[in-house]
Amino acid sequence: ALQMQMVRGRITRVEVELRGEDVEAHEKPLTVALLKGMLAPILSEDVNYVNAPRLASERGIQVAQTRHPAAEDYSNVILCRVISSQETRLIGGALFLHKQARIVLLDDYRIDASPYGPALILSNRDIPGVIGKVGTLLGERGINIAEWQMGRSGPGGQAVSYINIDSPAPDHVLRELRQLSSITDVQQVTL
C-alpha cells in the first residue's frame, strides 16, 4: 500500500526480495500478500489473495522474486522494488520482536519507521533547521507529530523523513511544506 501511494507513473515491474531464513520459505504467500496490498487501494474490484497475481499480470505488471538465506542488518527483511514509467522505488520492511512491523529502508535511506496512520514523507537537503521549520509549520497548523524518523546520505547531503502524524495534513499545508527552500518533495500517505 505504501508503494502504491508513493510511486509515480505506471507500474511495469515489481521485484520482491526475501532475505533471511524465516521469510525465504514463504516466498509465494508473501509475494501474493504484497501484490494484494499494492493493488487493493487502486482497483475498484475486490482484490484478494487468489486473484492478485492475475490482476497484476492483466495490467502488464511483471513480478520477480528472489531469495537470500541471510539478511545483512536484520534477521529477516522483505524488500519491494517497484519500477514504473517514471521512477524506481525501494521499500524494505522487517518485523521487530516478531510482531512490530517497521519500514527499515526507503529508497537509499535506512530508517526505522512505523507503518501506521497518516504520515508525511519528506525529501530534503540535509541542512540545519529543516526539522525545526517543518515541526513549527505543522504545529502552527494544529498537526501533531507522533513520530519522526530520518535517514540521510551523509552530513550536508540528501535526507528523507518519515513523519507519523495524528491527523492528515490538508492540501494547503502540503503546499506550504513544498515551499520551504530545503524541501525537495512531500508526499502524504495513509496506512
Side-chain angles (χ1 to χ4, degrees), residues 55-75:
L55 293 171
S57 178
E58 287 174 356
R59 280 149 185 80
I61 300 172
Q62 297 176 344
V63 179
Q65 305 164 337
T66 57
R67 294 180 295 179
H68 296 280
E72 294 171 10
D73 296 333
Y74 303 94
S75 57

Side-chain angles (χ1 to χ4, degrees), residues 28-89:
K28 180 92 171 156
L30 287 171
T31 300
V32 169
L34 189 139
L35 290 172
K36 179 185 179 295
M38 288 179 62
L39 295 173
I42 62 164
L43 297 180
S44 57
E45 60 190 286
D46 288 332
V47 180
N48 57 49
Y49 296 106
V50 174
N51 68 8
R54 177 183 54 81
L55 293 171
S57 178
E58 287 174 356
R59 280 149 185 80
I61 300 172
Q62 297 176 344
V63 179
Q65 305 164 337
T66 57
R67 294 180 295 179
H68 296 280
E72 294 171 10
D73 296 333
Y74 303 94
S75 57
N76 295 285
V77 67
I78 300 171
L79 301 173
C80 176
R81 179 175 289 106
V82 171
I83 300 162
S84 79
S85 57
Q86 295 183 20
E87 63 183 351
T88 298
R89 304 297 309 237

Side-chain angles (χ1 to χ4, degrees), residues 148-171:
W148 187 315
Q149 296 296 322
M150 188 184 88
R152 64 186 189 159
S153 61
Q158 288 296 118
V160 67
S161 293
Y162 192 99
I163 308 168
N164 297 95
I165 50 180
D166 289 340
S167 57
D171 288 341

Side-chain angles (χ1 to χ4, degrees), residues 6 11 17 21 24 60 77 91-92 112 120 133 157-158 161-162 173 178-179 185 187 189:
M6 290 184 61
I11 295 175
E17 186 175 331
E21 292 178 8
E24 75 170 352
V77 67
I91 296 176
D112 178 11
L120 298 174
K133 288 177 185 175
Q158 288 296 118
S161 293
Y162 192 99
V173 173
R178 289 182 184 107
Q179 291 173 355
D185 191 28
Q187 291 181 288
V189 298

